[in-house]
């Protein structure tokens, strides 16, 4: 029975990793750059949600669950906006500057975002206002509990992933994105506005990250500014595990990582769970760098 | 090439410019304060500063110590050992005769080496790692109590008050929490308790469902968590969400109201915490006066016992200087070891210091969180 | 005919450049005299700067000369320190004797770790090195094999004893470090100009072409990693002897990032570049403490701006400057 509960635990945290991984994998797929700042964008989603919910709650006098909707949209848009800004200012000038410069720039942006959060909100932990999320258990079966919140999170992750997948596969913008991912020069020759497509990628990717941040923040209830770093790295591992650039891969990778981590925590020791995650990363990159479901980016010959 | 040359010369000059030190003032007693003014423990560091600055102000207003004014030099170590070594060096260079600090044991340790080399009196208000007084430093003291005192107290509490048989101990792999956990385990096993669960989480973890599920299945009467209040809060919350019926006990790193905020009052209710008495429970006239003065100056009462401890450390230094009419660290240290006995302090009577520099006695008590989320003294305490 | 001031200046520089030992000697004398008028605090700051210069030089081998992305360099710094500490604390080995073993351990682990991953392309390599750095740090925290002391770290490490003199004061450590640093710089200069150094540069510029020319790129890259990591191990041992307390924080990612920035922002591939980098990333923040809270933000900003304006760093080696400019025009 403990095992079943651990599976549920694993899938919950797995869906978080998957949510954050989606943004990573999108950006890497199109631009072949590791957006180190993604984890901090995710963290800002949580922080902005904190501010947003407090403001919304005080404006209406009490916490109303329906306020979640508008705040959710607002947070997603703001973080998406930050993403576009970051791309324009810190990444676009470096598009032809080799592989090293974008990594450093991304790290730099990550530090700036983290430092801003720490100085604006303070080093202490923030707690989301009570009353916005449904609490309580959905079903119990012999000590195994699945809460309404957990189910909601799983569904949100799945819906977002499916939506993103459809978007990339079926819509014109999505096709254009894949074209840019494959060969930016030819795409430009074919009349695709590469700059705008890239900006769109940075709208959706970080936007998803922001949404994930708000979701995770509400789920745990409290967090501090270190939220971005660990989640970011784990999500990146999940993206690689599933196959970088591959959207269903992000989902699979996230779930798998969540499960492995949880089972390691539960049956071995929580101390080693991060080590195990990193070792998995190293092994995957050593033996199957394209990930479980395969990469979805072109390799230059 | 010349552009680069100019640039690097500029850099060297700006560095040299920073080297121009500031002069000191003669005829004052220089006392240093080292603590985390920034970083994860900024709240505590600032508490140190508030407390000591208040007392220095009061002391100077009353004519200083032995007729000389006190000059307080405050340095920030951010709780980091390398920073701590650097600021310790700065304080030594500034000519202080005594230092109060640091907050966490990891920072205090390298600093104590430097102060020892320089022969300065060093008192820590809050570093409880046992290792610190095992190096034979003659001028190092602490006004707080060792982890092993608290471990003993926790073990006794679990056995005598809770009548526990199977207990669990959880720490977070940090210097302080790990030490306390080990001390508690030693004493618990000595007393015949079965430590059925002993493990650690990582300091930045946020999701504890795996380990909590395991704890839930282990049938424990009580679990002692020695880590910090933010994670304690998350543990309580997630433990309740998983429907676990575990009796949680926290160590003195958990005695912070933010923990209740994170956990939610209904989930924190009933948790015990072993700690030095909270400021509002210090029933000593000196403490009450200090808290009142603190509130008058800063607008709020000190919430952390470590703030009081910093004040305690300053008072000990002041008292020793007044009694010995000297600021020589050797004389002061000798006095503190041999003649400082039974002086009323803010945290109760200070019985004295042993030859290693540890404060004699113990003042730990158990608190429980009531249904309003407040920390109140529990009516049952273990034998002294 | 009188020379114009600028051409007099140029001919002065030219004659100086022809006799490198002249101004290099001047620098060494300057460094020898520098700490004398300063207090202990500033001497320690100088020491820290020097340590990071050494770390930067060791990373420069990997990132600057061979062009590999190493974002976990601090792990080897820690491995060197812990090896020295454990040998000293458990086996009673005098600290200076532990140095070769510290270097060896760091080099050995570098060999074992990097051998299987060298074929990875740039950014993947970066990720793996980050992961490895964290694995080392967490293993130290979790008290691997019971000898690393956990989060507490290890303390009570003995001071180095040189010819009967116990090195206690900051100035002793400064001179000890300076000695090693001079040796390091000489070694680096030799390497830069040797066949090995040039082979690395070929690999950095165009690996495929280098392979085609017959260079065993895998072995050469491995050599860069092993040498650079061993050197970091030396720095670690020196650190252990100075601070006498070490903790797993030495291996944290931020440390690796600082080292990486020292090399890349200061000027990859060049020795003066590393010095400038160390001054900028270590000395300046230490001396401008009021900036503390925002230090990370300033560092981040510097990183972004430098990459946009001057990706080759402040004082790069000529070759790298050329390489980067060529790439941009391409």
């Amino acid at each position: 029975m403990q095992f079943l509960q651990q599976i549920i635990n694993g899938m919950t945290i797995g869906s978080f990793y998957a949510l954050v991984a989606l943004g990573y994998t999108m950006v890497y797929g199109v631009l072949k750059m590791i957006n180190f700042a993604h984890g901090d964008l995710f963290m800002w989603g949580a922080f902005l949600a904190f501010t947003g919910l407090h403001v919304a709650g005080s404006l209406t006098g009490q916490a109303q669950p329906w306020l979640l909707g508008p705040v959710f949209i607002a947070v997603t848009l703001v973080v998406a906006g930050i993403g576009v800004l970051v791309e324009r200012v810190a990444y676009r000038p470096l598009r032809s500057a080799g592989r090293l410069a974008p990594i450093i720039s991304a790290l730099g942006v990550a530090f700036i975002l983290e430092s801003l959060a720490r100085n604006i909100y303070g080093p202490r932990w923030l707690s989301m206002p009570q009353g916005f999320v449904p609490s309580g258990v959905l079903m119990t079966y012999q000590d195994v509990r699945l809460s309404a919140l957990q189910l909601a999170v799983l569904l949100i992750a799945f819906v977002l992933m499916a939506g993103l997948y459809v978007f990339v596969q079926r819509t014109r913008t999505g096709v254009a994105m894949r074209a840019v991912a494959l060969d930016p020069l030819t795409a430009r020759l074919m009349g695709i506005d590469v700059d705008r497509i890239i900006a769109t990628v940075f709208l959706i990717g970080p936007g998803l990250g922001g949404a994930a941040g708000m979701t995770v923040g509400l789920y745990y209830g409290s967090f501090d500014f270190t939220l971005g770093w660990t989640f970011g790295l784990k999500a990146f591992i999940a993206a690689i595990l599933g196959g970088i650039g591959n959207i269903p891969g992000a989902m699979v990778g996230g779930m798998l990582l969540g499960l492995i981590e949880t089972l390691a925590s539960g049956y071995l020791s929580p101390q080693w769970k991060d080590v195990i995650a990193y070792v998995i990363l190293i092994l995957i990159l050593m033996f199957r760098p394209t990930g479980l479901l395969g990469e979805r980016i072109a390799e230059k010959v | 090439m010349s552009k680069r040359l100019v640039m690097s010369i500029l850099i060297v000059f700006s560095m040299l410019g920073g080297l121009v030190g500031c002069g000191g003032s003669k005829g004052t007693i220089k006392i240093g304060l080292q603590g985390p003014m920034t970083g994860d423990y900024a709240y505590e560091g600032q508490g140190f500063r508030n407390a000591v600055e208040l007392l220095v102000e009061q002391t100077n207003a009353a004519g200083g110590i032995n007729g000389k004014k006190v000059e307080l030099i405050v340095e920030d170590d951010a709780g980091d050992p390398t920073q701590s070594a650097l600021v310790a060096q700065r304080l030594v260079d500034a000519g202080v005769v005594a230092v109060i600090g640091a907050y966490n044991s990891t920072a205090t340790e390298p600093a104590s080496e430097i102060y020892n080399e320089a022969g300065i009196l060093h008192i820590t208000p809050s570093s409880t790692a046992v290792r610190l007084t095992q190096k034979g430093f003659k001028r190092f003291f602490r006004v707080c109590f060792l982890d092993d005192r608290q471990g003993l107290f926790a073990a006794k509490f679990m056995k005598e008050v809770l009548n526990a048989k199977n207990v669990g101990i959880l720490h977070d792999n940090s210097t302080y929490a790990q030490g306390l956990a080990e001390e508690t385990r030693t004493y618990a096993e000595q007393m015949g308790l079965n430590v059925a669960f002993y493990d650690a989480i990582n300091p930045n973890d946020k999701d504890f469902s795996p380990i909590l599920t395991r704890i839930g299945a282990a049938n424990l009467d009580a679990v002692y968590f020695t880590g910090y209040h933010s994670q304690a809060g998350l543990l309580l919350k997630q433990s309740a969400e998983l429907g676990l019926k575990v009796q949680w006990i926290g160590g003195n790193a958990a005695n912070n109201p933010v923990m209740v905020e994170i956990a939610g009052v209904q989930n924190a209710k009933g948790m015990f915490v072993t700690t030095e008495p909270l400021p509002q429970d210090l029933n000593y006239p000196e403490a009450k006066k200090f808290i009142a003065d603190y509130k008058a100056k800063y607008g709020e009462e000190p919430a952390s016992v470590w703030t009081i401890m910093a004040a305690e450390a300053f008072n000990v230094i002041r008292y020793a200087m007044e009694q010995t009419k000297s600021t020589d660290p050797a004389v002061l240290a000798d006095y503190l070891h041999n003649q400082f006995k039974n002086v009323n302090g803010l945290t109760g009577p200070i019985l004295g210091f042993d030859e290693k520099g540890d404060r004699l006695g113990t003042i730990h008590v158990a608190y429980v969180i009531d249904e309003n989320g407040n920390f109140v003294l529990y009516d049952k305490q273990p034998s002294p | 005919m009188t020379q114009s001031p600028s051409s007099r200046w140029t001919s002065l520089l030219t004659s100086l450049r022809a006799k490198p030992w002249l101004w290099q000697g001047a620098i060494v004398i300057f460094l020898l005299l520098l700490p004398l008028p300063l207090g202990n605090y500033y001497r320690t700051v100088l020491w820290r700067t020097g340590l990071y210069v050494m770390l930067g030089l060791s990373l420069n081998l990997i990132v600057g000369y061979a062009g590999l992305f190493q974002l976990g360099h601090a792990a080897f710094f820690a491995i060197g320190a812990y090896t020295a500490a454990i040998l000293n604390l458990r086996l009673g080995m005098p600290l200076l004797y532990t140095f070769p073993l510290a270097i060896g351990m760091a080099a050995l682990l570098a060999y074992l770790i990097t051998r299987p991953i060298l074929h990875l392309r740039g950014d993947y390599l970066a990720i793996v090195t980050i992961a490895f750095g964290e694995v080392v740090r967490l293993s130290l925290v979790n008290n691997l094999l019971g000898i690393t002391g956990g989060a507490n770290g290890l303390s009570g490490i003995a001071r180095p004893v040189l010819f009967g003199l116990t090195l206690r004061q900051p100035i002793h450590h400064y001179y000890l470090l300076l000695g090693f640093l001079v040796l390091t710089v000489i070694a680096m200069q030799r390497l830069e100009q040797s066949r090995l150094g040039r082979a690395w540069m070929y690999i950095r510029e165009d690996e495929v072409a280098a392979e085609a020319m017959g260079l065993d790129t895998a072995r050469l890259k491995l050599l860069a990693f092993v040498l650079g990591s061993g050197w970091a191990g030396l720095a670690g041992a020196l650190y252990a002897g100075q601070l006498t307390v070490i903790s797993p924080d030495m291996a944290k990612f931020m440390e690796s990032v600082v080292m990486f920035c020292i090399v890349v922002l200061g000027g990859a591939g060049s020795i003066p570049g590393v010095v400038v980098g160390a001054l900028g990333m270590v000395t300046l923040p230490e001396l401008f403490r009021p900036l503390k809270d925002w230090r990370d933000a300033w560092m981040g900003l510097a990183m972004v701006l430098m990459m946009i304006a001057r990706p080759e760093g402040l004082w790069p080696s000529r070759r790298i400057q050329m390489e980067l400019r060529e790439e941009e025009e391409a």
Side-chain angles (χ1 to χ4, degrees), chain A residues 132-144:
Chain A
F132 276 105
V133 255
S135 56
V137 177
L138 201 60
M139 24 189 199
T140 332
Y141 172 66
Q142 271 193 37
D143 273 359
V144 177

Side-chain angles (χ1 to χ4, degrees), chain A:
Chain A
M1 276 311 109
Q2 204 195 119
F3 185 70
L4 197 53
Q5 180 71 62
Q6 297 289 28
I7 297 284
I8 295 180
N9 295 337
M11 289 185 69
T12 311
I13 194 152
S15 51
F16 290 139
Y17 289 155
L19 263 179
V20 185
L22 282 175
Y24 255 123
T25 218
M26 257 198 93
V27 171
Y28 193 91
V30 176
L31 282 179
K32 280 151 218 72
M33 88 163 270
I34 303 167
N35 185 13
F36 274 117
H38 190 69
D40 292 290
L41 289 164
F42 155 80
M43 179 256 296
W44 266 97
F47 275 61
L48 287 171
F50 168 83
T51 308
L53 288 174
H54 270 292
V55 165
S58 58
L59 280 178
T60 60
Q62 51 166 288
Q64 309 271 25
W66 62 263
L67 282 170
L68 275 181
V71 174
F72 196 81
I73 295 175
V75 167
T76 309
L77 286 176
V78 172
V79 178
I82 300 178
V84 171
L85 182 67
V86 163
E87 192 274 324
R88 187 72 190 75
V89 168
Y91 301 157
R92 187 180 294 194
L94 298 175
R95 266 197 223 144
S96 53
R99 305 199 87 116
L100 191 53
I103 289 185
I104 302 204
S105 189
L107 272 175
V109 172
F111 291 150
I112 295 175
L113 287 175
E114 227 178 84
S115 191
L116 276 173
R118 190 159 36 105
N119 281 297
I120 297 178
Y121 286 92
R124 52 197 189 95
W125 282 59
L126 302 172
S127 298
M128 294 289 208
Q130 305 253 17
F132 276 105
V133 255
S135 56
V137 177
L138 201 60
M139 24 189 199
T140 332
Y141 172 66
Q142 271 193 37
D143 273 359
V144 177
R145 298 162 93 97
L146 175 67
S147 73
L149 198 52
Q150 279 173 316
L151 197 59
V153 162
L154 264 160
L155 283 174
I156 292 177
F158 194 73
V159 163
L160 282 174
M161 183 218 82
L164 190 65
Y165 187 70
V166 164
F167 177 80
V168 170
Q169 295 289 97
R170 297 291 165 83
T171 67
R172 276 191 64 188
T173 322
V175 171
M177 275 185 202
R178 284 189 291 137
V180 171
L182 217 54
D183 189 345
L185 196 56
T186 313
R188 202 190 289 267
L189 288 173
M190 306 264 281
I192 296 178
D193 185 345
V194 172
D195 284 344
R196 228 170 48 116
I197 293 293
I198 294 184
T200 314
V201 171
F202 271 89
L203 194 77
I204 300 180
L208 277 173
M214 176 161 169
T215 314
V216 171
L218 279 170
Y219 181 80
Y220 288 117
S222 308
F223 44 86
D224 71 341
F225 69 90
T226 61
L227 186 66
W229 176 248
T230 347
F231 252 95
L233 206 48
K234 294 290 178 61
F236 186 75
I237 298 178
I240 300 247
L241 186 55
I244 192 92
N246 185 327
I247 290 172
M251 195 75 185
V252 167
M255 284 301 186
L256 200 53
L257 185 64
L259 280 170
I260 295 178
E261 251 193 33
T262 303
L263 292 174
S265 268
Y267 291 105
L268 279 174
S269 165
Q271 300 182 66
W272 294 102
K273 77 166 166 43
D274 288 342
V275 177
I276 290 177
Y278 294 131
V279 168
I280 290 178
L281 174 70
I282 296 175
L283 289 175
I284 285 274
L285 285 178
M286 268 169 44
F287 297 115
R288 202 186 151 80
T290 54
L292 292 172
L293 292 176
E295 258 180 4
R296 281 278 191 275
I297 53 174
E299 186 58 61
K300 291 216 180 81
V301 176

Side-chain angles (χ1 to χ4, degrees), chain B residues 1 4 7-8 15 18-19 38 76 82-83 85-87 89-90 93 109 113 117 131 173-175, chain C residues 17 39-42 44 48 142 151-153 155 168 239 243-244 279 286-287 289 292-293 314-316:
Chain B
M1 170 61 198
R4 291 196 291 202
M7 218 181 317
S8 26
M15 179 186 132
L19 296 185
T38 58
D76 171 23
T82 326
Q83 279 304 96
L86 280 167
V87 303
Q89 206 64 261
R90 272 159 76 101
D93 284 353
E109 192 162 4
E113 302 261 346
E117 293 267 335
R131 194 160 87 173
N173 258 336
S174 70
T175 313
Chain C
R17 223 184 264 146
N40 272 344
Y41 167 68
Y42 290 110
T44 314
R48 241 165 77 86
N142 292 342
N152 282 358
S155 74
R168 256 184 225 293
Y239 179 89
L243 209 60
T244 74
L279 284 173
E286 180 52 45
L287 296 177
R289 303 180 127 253
K292 258 341 253 312
D293 277 344
L314 279 174
W315 195 326

Side-chain angles (χ1 to χ4, degrees), chain C:
Chain C
M1 182 173 86
T2 51
Q3 274 181 316
S4 64
S6 65
S7 63
R8 224 186 311 183
W9 179 237
T10 323
S11 59
L12 177 64
L13 283 177
T14 318
S15 55
L16 270 183
R17 223 184 264 146
K19 301 194 200 69
W21 51 265
L22 195 64
W23 52 268
Q24 280 171 348
I27 293 180
V28 173
I29 294 182
F30 171 68
L31 289 175
L32 279 171
L33 298 175
L34 185 58
L36 293 176
L38 302 173
N40 272 344
Y41 167 68
Y42 290 110
R43 291 176 183 178
T44 314
V45 172
L46 280 177
W47 178 84
R48 241 165 77 86
T49 309
L51 189 74
Y52 276 91
V53 168
M54 180 178 268
L55 282 166
L57 288 174
S58 68
L59 186 58
N60 192 33
L61 254 183
I62 302 174
V63 174
Y65 294 167
L68 303 163
F69 294 179
Q70 161 60 297
L71 279 170
H73 200 58
F76 298 104
F77 178 49
I79 289 173
Y82 269 81
T83 307
I86 293 172
L87 286 173
N88 173 259
L89 289 171
R90 286 198 179 240
L91 299 179
M93 196 184 285
L95 200 68
L96 285 175
Y97 288 31
T98 68
F99 279 22
L101 292 163
I103 298 174
M105 190 58 143
L108 176 66
L109 280 168
Y111 179 80
L112 293 172
I113 301 308
T114 51
R115 202 156 161 271
I117 58 164
L118 277 175
H119 61 278
L120 290 176
R121 62 167 186 250
D123 34 10
Y124 276 9
L125 187 61
I127 290 289
V128 171
T129 55
I130 299 179
F132 178 64
E134 282 292 279
V135 168
V136 168
R137 185 183 65 83
L138 288 169
S139 305
L140 291 173
V141 168
N142 292 342
N143 202 3
L144 190 69
L145 304 177
I147 52 174
T148 64
N152 282 358
L154 298 169
S155 74
I157 304 167
R159 304 278 190 187
V161 178
L162 193 61
F163 305 126
L165 171 67
T166 308
L167 306 181
R168 256 184 225 293
Q169 299 292 333
I171 195 154
H172 301 155
H173 286 108
Y174 174 80
Y175 285 132
L176 181 67
L177 178 66
L178 189 60
F180 278 107
L181 205 51
V182 167
L183 290 174
T184 305
V185 170
I186 295 178
M188 291 287 165
Q189 282 176 327
R190 289 286 160 79
L191 271 174
E192 221 176 331
Q193 287 149 6
S194 71
R195 278 187 60 179
L196 182 57
R198 268 179 287 141
W200 280 331
M201 277 177 244
Y202 293 148
I203 296 178
R204 183 186 68 223
E205 251 180 89
D206 190 338
E207 191 170 332
V208 177
E211 276 272 5
M213 272 181 37
L215 289 177
D216 185 345
T217 55
R219 208 177 61 100
L220 288 166
K221 289 199 282 191
L222 190 58
L223 192 56
F225 253 108
V226 168
L227 273 179
S229 306
W231 232 298
L234 171 63
L238 280 164
Y239 179 89
Q242 202 272 1
L243 209 60
T244 74
V245 175
I246 58 175
S247 76
D249 275 349
M250 285 174 74
K252 68 183 182 206
F253 177 62
M254 192 50 134
E255 283 292 315
S256 292
V257 170
V258 168
M259 292 175 206
F260 194 77
C261 286
I262 288 178
V263 174
V264 174
L265 296 187
S270 95
I271 295 174
V274 169
V275 175
V276 169
L279 284 173
M281 300 240 47
V282 173
T283 324
L284 240 48
E286 180 52 45
L287 296 177
F288 287 104
R289 303 180 127 253
L291 248 39
K292 258 341 253 312
D293 277 344
W294 292 93
R295 198 192 59 160
D296 289 354
W298 289 123
M299 197 162 87
L301 195 61
M303 286 158 81
V304 176
L305 290 177
M306 282 295 290
M307 285 301 107
I308 295 177
R310 204 178 154 86
E312 65 269 25
L314 279 174
W315 195 326
S317 80
R318 284 274 173 69
R319 289 198 72 92
I320 296 204
Q321 194 164 20
M322 265 170 19
E323 285 167 30
L324 279 171
R325 300 282 177 197
E326 266 170 26
E327 227 179 76
E328 268 184 38
E329 283 152 29

